[in-house]
Amino acid sequence: MSETLTKLPALVPEPVELPGHLAQLRAEVREFLAAERAAGKWTPGADVWLSGWDAEFSKRLGARGWLGMTIPTEYGGQGRTALDRYVVTEELLAAGAPVAAHWVADRQIGPSLMRFGTEEQRRKFLPGIARGEIYFGIGMSEPDSGSDLASVRTRADRVDGGWEMTGTKVWTSGAHHAHAFFALVRTSPKDENNRHAGLSQFLVELDRPGITIRPIPLLTGAHHFNEVVFDHVFIPDEMVFGELSSGWAQVTGELAFERSGPERFLSTFPLLASLVGELGKASDVDAGTRREIGALVSRLWTLRRMSLAVAGALESGEAPELAAALVKDLGTRYENEIVDASRLLVDIPPDPGAEPGFARLLAEAVQHAPGFTLRGGTNEVLRGIVARGMGLR
């Protein structure tokens, strides 16, 4: 046990304080968002990084230099820090702004291209990502695989001038709108003694012949997820991403970007803010309700500190997969608890057809809540990662 305890401090990187000059950036973003809302360009929503697809809004962010912030200027980005981007992202999510169109490209495709991409790939995609004009999906999950990426069956076979891809990806957010995605596939037969070997990544433009994209509708009928089928799709050599057979190591590095950001605990923040507003209208709020709200706010602060610490580690060039897994596990459970508290503490039923406000936000959150702990790796998988990191398995 003592050996395990000595490993605990490594679970979360050193705390990070936001530099003082970022207060001005935060104020600029808030002013922009307030003007957008006042002009009626969009209404706040819950889980907007999945459901709030608004390409024009993404382009307006790009025009202000708030996308591709960490991409170097020679590739069309802003050459700013991960903490600069964190401030902008935090404000967009807290406001419930429609950020889904650019989300994947800005969050992890851009940084991954800088880390593993070729010069040609960077020149091809990064400027459009920074302008909010090129959107990406992620092709990892497959039918019957769940979160076990080592069981990937989609394969790419060597052909003259490139690769021929065959297989199916599922739960691909936004593939019906996206221009391209990262696909994790097998380029050599599966080795049961090393299940992560033989996996490679490709950049796949989704308008290639042989690709079929089918919707996987939510229970509500909304269309965010897709099934993407490859029927002998030709992928040129220049679209191999990173090193062949290094796909697993590359993907786990990307997941540190995917799992640790503020979207893992701010998806329901607009609902929490609305809940506090509704309680503020009541003439009498009992002590138990105050304690529950206080507990939610204090945990929000803790999660933010953990997420910021991971952002700081990423800024230093680290890939803190273990800490990122912790943020996602704790953060997504927290998001569900905001939904539960909202249903219990205020006597307003969820109503997806209501005017913007508490009832509509609650309905959106209830509809999306089942996915909080699933996407980006189920919490059960994440706890396995944490357990291994602690030497417990």
Side-chain angles (χ1 to χ4, degrees), residues 140-141 145-152 184 186 196 199 248 251 255:
M140 293 190 190
S141 298
S145 293
S147 294
D148 181 15
L149 294 181
S151 64
V152 160
L184 179 70
R186 289 211 165 274
H196 297 148
L199 294 170
W248 180 255
V251 163
L255 289 174

Side-chain angles (χ1 to χ4, degrees), residues 58-217:
S58 294
K59 292 173 184 174
R60 293 197 291 276
L61 292 179
R64 287 178 171 268
W66 291 340
L67 297 183
M69 295 183 72
T70 62
I71 295 173
T73 55
E74 61 264 38
Y75 299 109
Q78 302 300 313
R80 301 181 73 160
T81 72
L83 297 181
D84 289 45
R85 181 184 177 274
Y86 194 98
V87 166
V88 172
T89 302
E90 194 172 45
E91 290 300 321
L92 293 172
L93 293 169
V99 296
H102 65 263
W103 191 258
V104 171
D106 183 63
R107 178 183 64 182
Q108 68 198 85
I109 304 300
S112 295
L113 281 165
M114 288 307 305
R115 193 172 179 187
F116 301 115
T118 65
E119 183 67 13
E120 181 182 357
Q121 290 167 353
R122 292 173 183 172
R123 298 282 177 195
K124 182 179 179 69
F125 294 110
L126 289 177
I129 289 174
R131 291 194 302 269
E133 297 174 353
I134 293 181
Y135 315 125
F136 267 79
I138 302 172
M140 293 190 190
S141 298
E142 297 195 358
D144 306 319
S145 293
S147 294
D148 181 15
L149 294 181
S151 64
V152 160
R153 290 179 293 181
T154 297
R155 70 177 195 276
D157 298 317
R158 200 77 175 95
V159 295
D160 187 26
W163 300 79
E164 187 177 82
M165 189 173 293
T166 303
T168 302
K169 296 291 181 181
V170 292
W171 308 118
T172 305
S173 303
H176 54 310
H177 296 306
H179 300 90
F181 77 170
F182 279 0
L184 179 70
V185 307
R186 289 211 165 274
T187 47
S188 59
K190 187 175 180 180
D191 178 356
E192 290 299 336
N193 295 318
N194 185 2
R195 299 173 70 233
H196 297 148
L199 294 170
S200 303
Q201 282 187 296
F202 290 82
L203 279 160
V204 180
E205 294 170 290
L206 293 172
D207 59 355
R208 284 196 162 272
I211 295 179
T212 302
I213 300 174
R214 303 189 184 108
I216 304 176

Side-chain angles (χ1 to χ4, degrees), residues 217-235:
L218 300 180
L219 292 174
T220 62
H223 178 192
H224 307 302
F225 296 118
N226 298 276
E227 176 186 66
V228 181
V229 180
F230 304 99
D231 183 7
H232 301 283
V233 176
F234 176 73
I235 309 295

